[in-house]
Each structure stands twice: as structure tokens, then as C-alpha cells.
Amino acid sequence: MISLENVYFSYENSPVLRDISFQINEKEKVVLLGINGCGKSTLLKILNGLIFPEKGSYYFKGELITEKKLKNKEFTRKFRKSNVLLFQNPDSMIFNPTVYDEIAFGLRQLFPDSIDEKVHFWAEKLGISHLLKRSPFELSGGEKQKVCLASILVLEPELLLLDEPTANLDPRSTGWFVDFLSELDITVITTTHNLSLAPELGSRVIVLSEDHNIIYDGDINSFIEDIDLLKKANLVHTHYHRHGTLKHKHYHTHDF
Ligand SMILES: Nc1ncnc2c1ncn2[C@@H]1O[C@H](COP(=O)(O)OP(=O)(O)O)[C@@H](O)[C@H]1O
Ligand SMILES: [Mg+2]
């Protein structure tokens, strides 16, 4: 479904992605792991066709994705329906007067067909039916997140890109989110910097380093057991502890 070939990207001459290549098959659940600033959000924006590689190629469903191609209305309509991104901050996505309008917006733009039925179906699935008449702006962070998720899932996409989706959720909502995700039968790529959450989000992990390249792509459990790789990704650090006169060394993950 996705093929990235030697992709590079920079912001104002500062490299953010270097020589990124991978392929992702339909219905795979992949975790994109790395510390802050390593380029995860930038990579999701490339996959969602919001920005374009400065070098290298990105193919989605066999089509080379270029700025020019996304100026074609018919191509864009199909692309935007099947390839959706949940931004890290739900506030940057909401702008409609009611939750109902928020969820219906994309459908009205792209596929104005059975709107009412689909909005109610996804609101029900996400447990937000009781909020449909409310203003999305006055909801809690977790509720906003669900509204944003409904607003993209209502398009029935083939690829769901999630940027640190649990960063603003409490443990109970995070648990709900993980279960919800595992039941979705589509391709999902989720970014996180949270090592202990990563195995809940997929079985394959692609790890970006601070140098903005891929240092691991494979089974997530093998990665988590490889202390040298974890150190290389800066996902663990060594800590000295004193217990009375005893001093010893531990590895710590950076999760809290
Ligand atoms: N619009 C932008 N303009 C300039 N620099 C940016 C922009 N967006 C991100 N960056 C920089 O690019 C690097 C990678 O950012 P990002 O992809 O957001 O990383 P991550 O999501 O892994 O934290 C960071 O150093 C960040 O400050
Ligand atoms: Mg980010």
C-alpha cells in the first residue's frame, strides 16, 4: 500500500528526514517510534500528502504522490477519502459549530452520500452520540479527540495516520483507545515516543533516531529487548542510584 524510497526532507536547510525507505502492506499496524524532534510528525505529513519529499519517492497504492498530482481535483478527492491523518492536537482540527457538523464536514466535501446514517454510526461506535448537538470547542480533550477520530473514520479510509494519539489521554481513555485501534481492520500508522505503549499499538516498529534516519524496522518485541538499539534511539538512559552506601546502575526508559 505504501512505498517510500530514499526520502529526504529539510526545513530551512536543517534535515529532518534522511534516506527514509520502507514498505507497508495493507492492514498492517505499524508504530513509528522516536524521541521528540526526530521527524515523526513530518513523516506523517508526507504520507498524508501535506508536504512532499525534497528527494526520493512516495508511492500510495501504486501512485507516485506529487504536489502536481494533488492539484488534480478528482485525484485529491480519492486520496483524501482513503488517506487520513489525526493531528496530535485536536484543537488544530476542529472548527465547526456542532459535533454533528464536525463529523459530517469531510463527507459533505468529498462524498455527500448517506451522511446522516454514517455520522450516527461512527458517533455511536466512538461513544459520542450524546454530544452531537454540542459545540466541539467546549468538550474535554479526550472527547475532542474522539470527535476528530469520528470525523476522519466516517470517510471509511484505507490508511489511518495517528500522531501521538494518546498523548493527551488519561490511562482509562488510553486503554479504550488501544482496544478500539486493535479492532479497526485497516492500515494504521501510529507515532509515539512512549516505549511502554508502543507494543500495544502494533507488532511492527519503525524507529527513527535523532539523526533522522531509520535505525530499526521489524518486530517490536525484539527491538525492546535490544538495549544497544534502545540506547542508540535515545529511548533509555543510564542512571546511578544510591541506597545507603551502595551505589548501582540501572537502565531507565523515558516514559512516565
Ligand atoms: N514547520 C516547521 N518549520 C521549521 N522546523 C520545523 C517545522 N516543523 C517541525 N520542525 C522541526 O523539525 C524537527 C522534526 O520535527 P517533527 O517532525 O515535529 O518531530 P517529532 O514529531 O518526531 O517530534 C524538529 O526539530 C522541529 O523543530
Ligand atoms: Mg510530533
Side-chain angles (χ1 to χ4, degrees):
M1 170 179 256
I2 286 174
S3 176
L4 241 63
E5 294 174 4
N6 312 102
V7 163
Y8 287 76
F9 188 86
S10 308
Y11 291 112
E12 292 137 23
N13 292 331
S14 106
V16 174
L17 297 173
R18 291 184 211 252
D19 201 15
I20 303 295
S21 301
F22 57 76
Q23 298 194 343
I24 292 177
N25 294 323
E26 240 167 81
K27 312 236 167 146
E28 260 194 286
K29 296 234 168 61
V30 177
V31 186
L32 191 57
L33 182 68
I35 60 165
N36 285 335
C38 68
K40 302 181 296 298
S41 297
T42 304
L43 185 50
L44 286 195
K45 284 179 192 158
I46 287 182
L47 294 174
N48 192 231
L50 299 175
I51 54 177
F52 302 89
E54 68 186 44
K55 218 163 82 181
S57 316
Y58 165 35
Y59 295 89
F60 177 67
K61 293 177 71 179
E63 287 265 9
L64 181 67
I65 302 304
T66 60
E67 200 162 1
K68 188 165 167 229
K69 218 171 254 176
L70 282 175
K71 287 197 171 119
N72 175 304
K73 265 202 175 147
E74 198 42 41
F75 183 78
T76 305
R77 205 168 83 101
K78 274 197 285 177
F79 183 80
R80 294 277 162 236
K81 185 205 176 292
S82 62
N83 181 324
V84 298
L85 167 61
L86 182 75
F87 283 86
Q88 179 169 1
N89 178 2
D91 288 316
S92 63
M93 290 181 77
I94 59 178
F95 58 98
N96 284 280
T98 67
V99 168
Y100 184 98
D101 290 327
E102 195 63 57
I103 300 174
F105 183 82
L107 278 180
R108 287 180 180 142
Q109 301 296 309
L110 298 168
F111 283 87
D113 168 43
S114 322
I115 292 179
D116 200 48
E117 194 184 313
K118 288 180 185 166
V119 170
H120 281 102
F121 176 82
W122 284 99
E124 172 86 40
K125 219 164 152 66
L126 284 149
I128 52 172
S129 297
H130 60 296
L131 301 175
L132 284 171
K133 289 185 181 144
R134 296 268 301 274
S135 158
F137 295 99
E138 62 191 33
L139 305 178
S140 73
E143 288 168 338
K144 282 181 185 166
Q145 181 96 311
K146 287 182 178 175
V147 172
C148 292
L149 200 54
S151 75
I152 54 180
L153 286 176
V154 77
L155 299 170
E156 286 158 0
E158 293 167 83
L159 172 66
L160 176 62
L161 304 165
L162 300 168
D163 201 356
E164 312 231 13
T166 61
N168 302 312
L169 300 183
D170 61 26
R172 193 176 65 155
S173 305
T174 301
W176 173 88
F177 193 88
V178 164
D179 289 344
F180 180 80
L181 205 62
S182 69
E183 282 168 21
L184 277 182
D185 193 26
I186 57 176
T187 315
V188 185
I189 305 176
T190 312
T191 73
T192 184
H193 59 265
N194 188 321
L195 190 58
S196 47
L197 184 68
E200 309 284 339
L201 301 168
S203 52
R204 172 178 170 193
V205 67
I206 295 175
V207 185
L208 286 176
S209 75
E210 262 183 313
D211 294 330
H212 311 292
N213 50 23
I214 292 177
I215 55 167
Y216 182 87
D217 179 355
D219 176 66
I220 196 154
N221 292 313
S222 314
F223 173 73
I224 285 172
E225 285 160 14
D226 190 331
I227 199 77
D228 290 328
L229 268 175
L230 288 172
K231 280 199 283 186
K232 204 169 157 193
N234 258 322
L235 288 161
V236 293
H237 64 271
T238 332
H239 229 40
Y240 281 99
H241 285 267
R242 265 178 206 288
H243 302 286
T245 53
L246 265 176
K247 187 176 160 192
H248 69 140
K249 206 162 88 165
H250 271 318
Y251 285 111
H252 281 258
T253 70
H254 293 170
D255 303 338
F256 290 98

